[in-house]
């Protein structure tokens, strides 16, 4: 049935080749016209586990505490002292320009924050207007010391040498994004629970589309903001060293790097492929055919992804180079078989050889495509959204590559015509012949070498880690690296971690309320001129609702509540991995300083009601949610810390708070980007094992269906197991961590390695059927399909090696590991696999006189 369909398909294509070519290229052009609509995303929503409840809690925490995304700008004058008038004027001008951007809600800088120690104010002055550095009578040296040493500003606004400051650009909260995201997730949850009817499913579809549309708009707005900020900063770089940092900037730069790699190295890879194919085949026809086929596949898939509104992420940014690999591998195998037919019979009819090529090779290339698709489809088990999307993209991509190859290759070869001179066989022993000699005469060495590599792989796998330093994704000369390093080293860390504490049942306490006289002897009567502490009517006015605090003091703002927060704060502050720590304990320390000793509930209540709004916005509101009765301890973790182990750090923190500080497990919540990213990394081990297990099981079943032998199928899959283990083991030995980028390497090894094994075994069965001589079958297989495997490897290794020129470390790793995977897969197919076939003889007795 398959053979009849294939014959009809080939005849249909070649009956009117120019029409077939026009139809295919027309379809490619039509779909490819959508490429300008292709979008890339790097939002937090694209880097979380599917259904991760930690992400939902992170968003809820943002709502409860009113947290905003922010950018950080560091400023160090090149020639003048930071506190000099010209430097402050320049800093003020920069602040004003940045504050004028529509997407910036406010700017926090050392120019604006209230000063409590310059000189130190008294507790009775706490409700009075507070000085800032911008006031003309402020002592700048005292202010410098406050920024360096005060509980609020230390490690936050000023570097230890007092010459570099940081400004925080708080961004306008995208309420539309939050609303659409919440609605989409609500409907997703209902759908997962089976609670949506047909109308509900339509509502979910609309919600998904609305969120996707707004995400694209939000991404563009964020990219524009980062570009606008950089444009402003550039005007000040002549007189100051300035760096930009923050999660939005990192996301924008990652997209820029990925987009640049996609554009630069995608085209460069095609050029390398052309050069290598020209050196190998030395025929313009056999360079043009792969080039047109691979380019058409890439254009078609990119257009299809854009048409489906399927965004590319950092994980899928290498989609095009990888698709070129797999498409090229199919085309080279087809061309190589045509060359074999031509070498055997130079006078053979060109069209008949083209038809025979497609008829003979359609089965193995279809199976290699199917097994590769299975390898990528297994990414669904990862649970990581960008990895899942990448898996589906590649699954669809390899299927498109197969259809494009089986359509364009015969048509283009027919149109191009038969080359004028037949191929000349090389006078020296080609690589594949050398490999055959090694198999036949160094069989024991191959087996012992494979065993040694297996042991090395096992050890390397035991060293494989998921921990990595995010800063190492970027070249040391890039602004993003230098900015992260500066903020990390000088200004309190880069990676945010939040510890949220639910309200416990505190001991009973009494707080002063708005009444004429209370049991503590305070006179809160507006008629009273002063009370026993000397507070006048202006202080009394702070107790009304217009103060912004209301009459009720939050239970967290008591000695008991602040002591509990301080225990957490002090523990986190003492950890070597952490930088700046902020919480309600900060205001506790300030109150103790202002009073010169201990603080009681009454004094805290007075402070609660008297703090001016600008102080409340800095030291209370970000760390206390009255709506949810939660306190938050904000931590910035040092990304440059050599000993940073995210998962171990989070477990250590949680254990200490529960076991040593006595918090109930359900009262402590760790959240923010450190937790979300750690969840992704920790899932990689499980998903990698599950992915590889499912992939090899599915491929084994397909091998049995193709080769009709469980014994032969098991032998064929062994080199792939070794290749996958060797690549991952090498990563462990070299200290290359497993992350959302490198997790794809194992599937690439399997996809390429399985392709080589299928082609080799399929051809070996054919050659063995001629004389039932294993040694002779090895020689003939190596000189035929072995050459195609070698050509494919050389071309792909050459193409992917140029990724070492990228500034984006994941792209460099991807290029080098893919090239290494290609070499490993080829050697497994040309050395270990044939040696196993000779050793175990799965096809029956060896009739050859030289059976080894």
């Amino acid at each position: 049935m398959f053979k009849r369909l294939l014959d009809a398909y080939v005849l249909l294509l070649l009956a009117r080749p120019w029409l077939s070519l026009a139809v295919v290229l027309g379809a490619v052009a039509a779909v490819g016209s959508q490429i300008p609509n292709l979008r890339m995303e790097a939002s937090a929503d694209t880097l979380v586990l599917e259904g991760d409840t930690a992400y939902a809690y992170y968003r809820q925490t943002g709502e409860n505490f009113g947290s905003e995304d922010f950018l950080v700008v560091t400023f160090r004058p090149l020639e003048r002292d930071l506190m000099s008038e010209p430097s402050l004027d320049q800093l003020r001008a920069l602040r004003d320009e940045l504050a004028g951007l529509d997407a910036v809600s406010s700017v926090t800088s050392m120019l604006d924050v209230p000063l409590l120690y310059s000189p130190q104010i008294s507790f009775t002055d706490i409700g009075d207007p507070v000085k800032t550095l911008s006031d003309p009578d402020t002592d700048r040296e005292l202010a410098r010391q406050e920024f360096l040493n005060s509980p609020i500003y230390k490690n936050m606004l000023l570097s230890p040498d007092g010459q570099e400051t940081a400004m925080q650009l708080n961004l306008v909260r995208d309420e539309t994004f939050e609303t659409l995201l919440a609605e989409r997730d609500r409907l997703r949850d209902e759908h997962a629970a089976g609670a949506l009817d047909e109308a509900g499913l339509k509502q979910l579809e609309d919600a998904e589309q609305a969120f996707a549309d707004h995400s694209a708009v939000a991404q563009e707005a964020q990219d524009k903001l980062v570009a606008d900020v950089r444009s402003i900063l550039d005007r000040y770089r002549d007189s100051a060293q300035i760096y930009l940092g923050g999660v939005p900037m990192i996301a924008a730069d990652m997209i820029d790097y990925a987009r640049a790699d996609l554009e630069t190295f995608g085209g460069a890879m095609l050029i390398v492929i052309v050069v290598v194919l020209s050196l190998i085949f030395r025929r313009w026809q056999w360079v043009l055919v792969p080039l047109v086929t691979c380019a058409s596949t890439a254009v078609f898939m990119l257009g299809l992804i854009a048409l489906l509104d399927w965004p590319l992420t950092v994980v899928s940014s290498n989609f095009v180079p990888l698709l070129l690999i797999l498409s090229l591998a199919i085309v080279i195998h087809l061309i190589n078989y045509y060359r074999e037919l031509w070498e055997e019979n130079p006078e053979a009819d060109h069209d008949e050889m083209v038809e025979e090529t497609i008829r003979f090779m359609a089965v193995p290339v279809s199976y290699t495509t199917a097994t590769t698709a299975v390898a990528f489809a297994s990414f669904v088990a990862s649970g990581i959204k960008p990895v899942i999307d990448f898996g589906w993209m590649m699954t669809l991509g390899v299927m498109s590559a197969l259809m494009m190859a089986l359509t364009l290759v015969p048509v283009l070869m027919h149109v191009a015509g038969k080359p004028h001179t037949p191929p000349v066989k090389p006078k020296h022993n080609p690589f594949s012949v050398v490999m055959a000699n090694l198999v036949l005469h160094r069989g024991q060495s191959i087996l012992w070498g494979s065993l040694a590599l297996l042991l090395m792989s096992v050890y390397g796998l035991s060293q494989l880690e998921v921990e990595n330093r995010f800063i190492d994704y970027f070249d040391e000369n890039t602004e993003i690296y230098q900015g992260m390093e500066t903020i990390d080293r000088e200004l309190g860390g880069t990676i945010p971690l939040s510890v949220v504490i639910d309200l416990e049942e505190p001991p009973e306490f009494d707080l002063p309320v708005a009444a004429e006289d209370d049991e503590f002897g305070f006179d809160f009567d507006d008629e009273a001129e002063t009370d026993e502490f000397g507070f006048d009517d202006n202080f009394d006015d702070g107790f009304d609702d217009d103060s912004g605090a209301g009459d009720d003091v939050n239970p967290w703002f008591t000695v008991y509540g602040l002591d509990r927060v301080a225990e957490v704060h002090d523990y986190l502050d003492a950890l070597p991995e952490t930088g700046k720590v902020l919480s309600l304990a900060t205001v506790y320390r300030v109150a103790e300083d202002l009073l010169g000793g201990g603080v009681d509930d009454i004094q805290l209540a007075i402070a609660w009601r008297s703090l001016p709004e600008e102080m409340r916005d800095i030291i209370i509101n970000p760390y206390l949610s009255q709506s949810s009765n939660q306190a938050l301890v904000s931590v910035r973790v040092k990304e440059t810390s050599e000993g940073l182990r995210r998962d171990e750090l989070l477990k250590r923190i949680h254990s200490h708070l529960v076991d040593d500080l006595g918090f109930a497990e359900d009262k402590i919540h760790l959240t923010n980007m450190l937790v979300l990213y750690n969840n992704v990394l920790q899932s990689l081990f499980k998903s990698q094992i599950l992915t590889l297990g499912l992939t090899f099981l599915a491929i084994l079943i397909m091998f049995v269906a193709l080769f009709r032998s469980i014994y032969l199928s098991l032998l064929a899959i062994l080199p792939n197991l070794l290749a996958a283990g060797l690549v991952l083991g090498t990563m462990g030995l070299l200290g290359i961590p497993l992350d959302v980028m490198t997790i794809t390497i194992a599937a690439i090894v399997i996809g390429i390695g399985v392709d080589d094994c299928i082609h080799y075994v399929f051809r070996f069965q054919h050659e063995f059927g001629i004389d039932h001589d294993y040694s002779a079958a090895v020689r003939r297989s190596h000189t035929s399909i072995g050459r195609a495997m070698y050509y494919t490897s050389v071309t792909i290794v050459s193409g992917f090696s140029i990724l070492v020129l990228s500034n984006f470390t994941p792209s460099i790793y991807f290029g080098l590991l893919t090239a290494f995977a290609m070499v490993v897969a080829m050697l497994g197919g040309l050395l270990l696999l044939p040696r196993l076939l000779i050793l175990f003889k799965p096809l029956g007795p060896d009739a050859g006189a030289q059976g080894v």
Side-chain angles (χ1 to χ4, degrees):
M1 180 65 179
F2 177 78
K3 185 178 182 303
R4 288 197 298 270
L5 290 174
L6 185 61
D7 289 342
Y9 175 74
V10 172
L11 291 175
L12 179 64
L13 283 177
L14 301 182
R16 292 182 175 81
W18 286 104
L19 178 61
S20 300
L21 183 62
V23 170
V24 174
L25 295 183
V28 169
V31 177
S33 65
Q34 298 297 314
I35 290 179
N37 299 323
L38 189 67
R39 60 189 179 92
M40 300 190 73
E41 282 189 4
S43 63
D45 188 51
T46 65
L47 290 173
V48 297
L49 294 174
E50 283 286 274
D52 188 0
T53 56
Y55 184 50
Y57 190 84
Y58 162 71
R59 296 202 323 271
Q60 185 61 49
T61 300
E63 294 179 9
N64 291 343
F65 291 89
S67 59
E68 302 170 312
D69 286 336
F70 60 87
L71 293 168
V72 176
V73 175
T74 67
F75 179 92
R76 176 187 286 271
L78 295 178
E79 298 177 356
R80 300 184 179 90
D81 182 77
L82 178 62
M83 290 297 178
S84 66
E85 191 66 36
S87 294
L88 293 180
D89 285 343
Q90 190 177 40
L91 182 62
R92 188 175 294 108
L94 176 58
R95 176 204 62 187
D96 292 343
E97 280 200 68
L98 295 172
L101 294 172
D102 292 338
V104 176
S105 62
S106 63
V107 177
T108 302
S109 74
M110 69 177 191
L111 297 168
D112 317 294
V113 296
L115 300 174
L116 303 180
Y117 297 85
S118 306
Q120 181 171 322
I121 67 173
S122 67
F123 192 74
T124 57
D125 296 329
I126 199 169
D128 294 342
V130 184
K131 285 185 177 182
T132 68
L133 187 59
S134 295
D135 292 335
D137 59 340
T138 297
D139 187 319
R140 292 175 183 168
E141 285 307 313
L142 280 179
R144 192 199 304 264
Q145 293 306 310
E146 177 168 352
F147 294 142
L148 289 172
N149 301 307
S150 79
I152 304 175
Y153 305 129
K154 183 180 179 181
N155 294 329
M156 179 179 175
L157 290 176
L158 208 59
S159 61
D161 65 359
Q163 293 300 320
E164 187 166 21
T165 186
M167 289 187 291
Q168 180 170 306
L169 280 60
N170 301 307
L171 308 183
V172 175
R173 189 175 177 85
D174 190 342
E175 298 295 345
T176 302
F177 179 91
E178 296 296 332
T179 300
L180 291 174
L181 180 59
E183 177 65 8
R184 185 203 68 175
D185 288 351
R186 180 186 67 81
L187 291 169
R188 278 184 173 182
D189 291 342
E190 291 184 11
H191 179 52
L196 291 184
D197 55 14
E198 187 173 340
L201 292 174
K202 179 63 168 62
Q203 190 178 2
L204 172 59
E205 182 181 345
D206 293 342
E208 296 269 12
Q209 188 60 51
F211 177 74
D213 292 343
H214 186 77
S215 293
V217 174
Q219 183 76 52
E220 291 178 5
Q222 180 172 281
D223 292 346
K224 181 179 183 302
L225 169 64
V226 172
D228 290 344
V229 169
R230 282 201 167 112
S231 178
I232 293 174
L233 299 182
D234 288 341
R235 296 197 286 271
Y236 294 82
R237 294 187 190 275
D238 290 341
S239 56
Q241 182 185 73
I242 299 175
Y243 291 118
L244 179 64
V247 173
M249 183 274 289
I250 293 173
D253 278 9
M254 287 179 67
I255 287 297
D256 287 342
Y257 285 131
R259 183 181 289 115
D261 286 353
L262 180 65
E263 295 171 354
T264 302
F265 294 113
M269 188 170 292
L270 283 176
I271 294 175
V272 171
I273 288 173
V274 169
V275 172
V276 175
L277 289 178
S278 299
L279 294 175
I280 292 175
F281 291 137
R282 301 181 183 276
R283 309 279 180 175
W284 67 266
Q285 295 98 327
W286 297 339
V287 174
L288 180 65
V289 171
L291 182 63
V292 172
T293 304
C294 293
S296 297
T297 303
V299 169
F300 177 80
M301 276 306 303
L302 287 174
L304 184 60
I305 290 172
L307 186 63
L308 297 174
D309 197 25
W310 210 348
L312 289 175
T313 65
V314 175
V315 176
S316 52
S317 61
N318 286 310
F319 168 76
V320 171
L322 189 52
L323 186 61
L324 289 175
I325 278 185
L326 300 171
S327 179
L328 182 65
I330 297 173
V331 177
I332 287 180
H333 280 292
L334 296 177
I335 292 177
N336 188 72
Y337 188 77
Y338 175 91
R339 293 180 74 226
E340 288 180 39
L341 295 176
W342 193 19
E343 287 176 358
E344 292 175 3
N345 186 5
E347 304 302 323
D349 181 75
H350 174 64
D351 289 348
E352 290 181 359
M353 287 192 294
V354 171
E355 293 176 15
E356 176 59 23
T357 296
I358 301 302
R359 289 190 182 96
F360 184 82
M361 293 299 298
V363 172
V365 297
S366 295
Y367 266 88
T368 58
T369 299
T371 52
T372 304
V374 166
F376 285 110
S378 66
F379 283 173
V380 175
S382 71
I384 305 168
K385 188 177 185 302
V387 176
I388 293 172
D389 290 345
F390 180 53
W392 287 127
M393 286 180 188
M394 287 307 308
T395 299
L396 188 58
V398 295
M399 293 178 180
S400 299
L402 174 66
M403 292 306 302
M404 206 67 69
L406 292 180
T407 302
L408 283 179
V409 170
V411 171
L412 288 171
M413 291 184 71
H414 177 90
V415 169
K418 186 177 182 180
H420 296 298
T421 57
V424 179
K425 293 186 178 181
K427 297 179 181 179
H428 61 281
N429 287 337
F431 179 80
S432 57
V433 174
V434 173
M435 293 293 101
N437 289 333
L438 288 176
V439 171
L440 297 176
H441 303 297
R442 295 289 185 271
Q444 293 300 317
S445 298
I446 291 173
L447 294 176
W448 283 112
S450 298
L451 179 59
L453 290 176
L454 176 62
L455 295 176
M456 185 186 76
S457 300
V458 172
Y459 176 74
L461 284 169
S462 70
Q463 304 300 307
L464 189 63
E465 294 185 344
V466 296
E467 295 288 355
N468 63 347
R469 300 198 314 164
F470 194 72
I471 192 172
D472 291 333
Y473 276 5
F474 309 97
D475 187 89
E476 293 182 3
N477 297 319
T478 60
E479 181 190 17
I480 189 170
Y481 184 99
Q482 295 172 352
M484 290 176 69
E485 185 179 43
T486 298
I487 295 170
D488 225 39
R489 184 183 64 249
E490 305 288 348
L491 296 162
T494 52
I495 306 299
L497 167 66
S498 297
V499 179
V500 180
I501 311 171
D502 293 339
L503 182 65
E504 297 180 299
E505 289 296 332
E508 292 185 4
F509 57 87
D510 295 315
L511 294 175
V513 294
E516 294 185 1
D517 293 286
D518 70 2
E519 61 182 291
F520 297 98
F522 282 91
D523 184 2
F524 294 98
D525 194 334
D526 287 343
E527 299 298 324
E529 295 182 2
T530 62
D531 62 19
E532 62 183 277
F533 285 101
F535 291 110
D536 59 18
D537 286 345
N538 289 332
F539 179 75
D540 292 335
D541 290 340
F543 286 89
D544 61 26
D545 289 337
D546 293 334
S547 70
D551 290 334
D552 295 329
V553 178
N554 190 282
W556 277 111
F557 211 77
T558 63
V559 171
Y560 174 80
L562 293 181
D563 277 341
R564 292 296 274 162
V565 173
E567 289 178 317
V568 178
H569 181 117
D570 293 343
Y571 166 72
L572 295 172
D573 199 26
L575 294 174
E577 299 93 342
T578 60
K580 183 61 179 176
V581 181
L582 288 168
S583 70
L584 291 175
T586 308
V587 71
Y588 198 22
R589 303 284 188 258
V590 172
E592 289 178 326
D593 286 346
L594 300 186
L595 283 167
V599 180
D600 59 30
D601 288 335
I602 298 172
Q603 293 160 331
L604 287 173
I606 294 172
W608 170 266
R609 295 190 174 106
S610 305
L611 278 174
E613 195 62 35
E614 61 267 24
M615 284 293 293
R616 185 180 297 278
D617 287 340
I618 293 175
I619 62 177
I620 292 183
N621 293 343
Y623 315 109
L624 176 62
S625 171
Q626 298 199 68
S627 62
S628 61
N629 272 329
Q630 292 176 313
L632 181 144
V633 182
S634 174
V635 186
R636 280 191 278 163
V637 176
K638 294 180 180 179
E639 173 67 16
T640 55
S641 174
E642 291 291 343
L644 177 61
R645 295 291 184 269
R646 294 178 181 84
D647 193 55
E648 188 272 334
L649 174 63
L650 293 172
K651 289 178 179 177
R652 185 167 14 118
I653 291 173
H654 187 271
S655 175
H656 182 84
L657 300 188
V658 173
D659 299 335
D660 297 337
L661 298 185
F663 287 94
E665 288 230 19
D666 60 346
K667 300 294 185 182
I668 294 292
H669 312 277
L670 305 183
T671 186
N672 220 317
M673 295 307 298
L674 183 74
V675 174
L676 297 180
Y677 190 53
N678 180 68
N679 288 351
V680 170
L681 292 179
Q682 294 308 313
S683 74
L684 293 179
F685 265 130
K686 296 178 182 177
S687 64
Q688 186 73 94
I689 294 172
L690 181 60
T691 296
L692 292 179
L694 292 175
T695 300
F696 277 115
L697 178 60
I699 289 174
L700 180 60
I701 294 173
M702 298 177 72
F703 273 15
V704 173
L706 174 62
F707 302 137
R708 302 184 185 282
S709 168
I710 296 178
Y711 190 26
L712 179 59
S713 299
L714 289 173
L715 292 178
I717 209 167
L718 285 178
N720 293 284
L721 286 169
L722 178 60
L726 183 59
V727 172
L728 292 175
T730 301
M731 289 171 57
L733 293 173
L734 296 179
I736 300 174
L738 192 66
D739 58 23
V740 291
M741 292 289 288
T742 55
I743 189 179
T744 62
I745 297 299
I748 294 170
V749 177
I750 296 171
I752 295 174
V754 166
D755 289 359
D756 285 346
C757 286
I758 287 177
H759 279 297
Y760 192 89
V761 173
F762 187 82
R763 189 56 179 264
F764 187 87
Q765 285 179 307
H766 174 78
E767 299 296 341
F768 183 79
I770 296 174
D771 53 15
H772 294 275
D773 186 330
Y774 280 92
S775 297
V778 165
R779 290 191 181 279
R780 290 193 295 269
S781 297
H782 271 62
T783 56
S784 55
I785 198 64
R787 279 196 297 174
M789 292 161 61
Y790 171 68
Y791 295 154
T792 302
S793 300
V794 170
T795 307
I796 292 170
V797 168
S798 301
F800 267 85
S801 295
I802 65 172
L803 287 177
V804 299
L805 302 176
S806 174
N807 283 325
F808 194 39
T809 303
S811 291
I812 297 175
Y813 283 159
F814 186 84
L816 292 178
L817 289 173
T818 301
F820 178 60
M822 193 71 218
V823 173
V824 169
M826 177 192 66
L827 293 178
L830 292 179
L831 291 176
L832 180 57
L833 176 59
R835 188 62 221 171
L836 291 175
L837 293 175
I838 291 175
L839 181 63
F840 292 100
K841 298 178 175 53
L843 301 181
D846 187 356
Q850 301 180 24
V852 183

